[in-house]
Amino acid sequence: MKILNVPLSLSAPQAAFLTELQRVFAEACTLVAAMGREAGVTARVGLHHLCYATVRERFPALGSQLACNAIYAAARAFRKALEVQARLAPQAKGLPIVRFAPTAPVFFDRHTLSLRGERVSMFTLDGRLHFDLSISVEGLAALRAATVKEAVLQGREGQFVLAFYLEEKAAELPAQVLEQRSGVVVDSLAPAAVVAG
């Protein structure tokens, strides 16, 4: 898996939309994690059956697909938290407590984010947000040479980066704009604070 990080040039209202999306998405993820911990469920499918209706009811503006993405993010955070707990506190009983900060990443997929050339269409709480990527020729070539498996929005204090997780479909991607990382999520992108429980 390779990652292409693209800083976003947004207007103040656009940045405000994304800040609010980030906050609501994190609240939904935290709700899913709390429900999962209480029920002893951490797997994505189990969390979906347990939490989907509640997330849709509590956070209707997220829409169905971002609700699914919040469940995915919680399941992923549980997986990482359980790995950490097994390594650092193997004697701990019960599931770890997983909480998402208001600045936690938002996970997008092909239903919630589309890319045509340099133009992005992103689902937000206020409908779709359309903007152009400020991307180098090499970055654009990398996007065209790969399949986007996932896009992750990261932001803090009104500054946002869209990280594209790419899977090669061509022989080689332009090396100067990509970083090779082990696994899917880099530690600095971890979506949640983990407290051994």
Side-chain angles (χ1 to χ4, degrees):
M1 193 71 72
K2 298 188 177 192
I3 304 168
L4 174 63
N5 290 305
V6 181
L8 303 183
S9 298
L10 302 170
S11 67
Q14 289 172 327
F17 288 153
L18 294 187
T19 298
E20 182 63 7
L21 172 63
Q22 221 179 354
R23 184 189 66 74
V24 172
F25 187 82
E27 285 181 13
C29 292
T30 296
L31 172 66
V32 171
M35 290 176 69
R37 186 172 191 268
E38 185 177 316
V41 176
T42 63
R44 182 180 184 178
V45 172
L47 285 172
H48 184 88
H49 290 298
L50 177 69
C51 303
Y52 178 77
T54 303
V55 172
R56 290 290 287 130
E57 181 182 310
R58 285 262 205 77
F59 304 98
L62 273 182
S64 60
Q65 194 58 45
L66 278 178
C68 290
N69 292 0
I71 293 165
Y72 165 72
R76 195 162 154 161
F78 266 127
R79 190 171 54 246
K80 284 190 84 76
L82 288 167
E83 288 170 10
V84 170
Q85 181 173 287
R87 208 172 50 245
L88 301 179
Q91 72 288 358
K93 298 205 184 323
L95 293 174
I97 297 168
V98 177
R99 293 187 187 107
F100 288 73
T103 56
V106 178
F107 291 84
F108 290 92
D109 57 22
R110 63 187 175 87
H111 302 290
T112 52
L113 185 136
S114 62
L115 183 62
R116 284 198 173 83
E118 297 174 40
R119 189 87 176 144
V120 174
S121 175
M122 177 186 287
F123 185 84
T124 70
L125 304 174
D126 299 307
R128 285 207 165 256
L129 178 64
H130 301 274
F131 57 90
D132 291 321
L133 286 179
S134 298
I135 189 168
S136 67
V137 172
E138 295 84 7
L140 202 51
L143 282 174
R144 288 185 179 140
T147 300
V148 177
K149 297 306 285 181
E150 177 175 86
V152 179
L153 178 73
Q154 304 164 80
R156 198 175 301 269
E157 298 176 5
Q159 302 296 310
F160 289 91
V161 172
L162 200 49
F164 293 98
Y165 288 74
L166 307 175
E167 186 173 82
E168 291 186 38
K169 63 180 178 186
E172 195 169 310
L173 298 171
Q176 61 267 47
V177 296
L178 298 172
E179 296 178 62
Q180 181 70 47
R181 304 283 181 147
S182 60
V184 178
V185 175
V186 181
D187 286 345
S188 64
L189 304 181
V194 176
V195 181

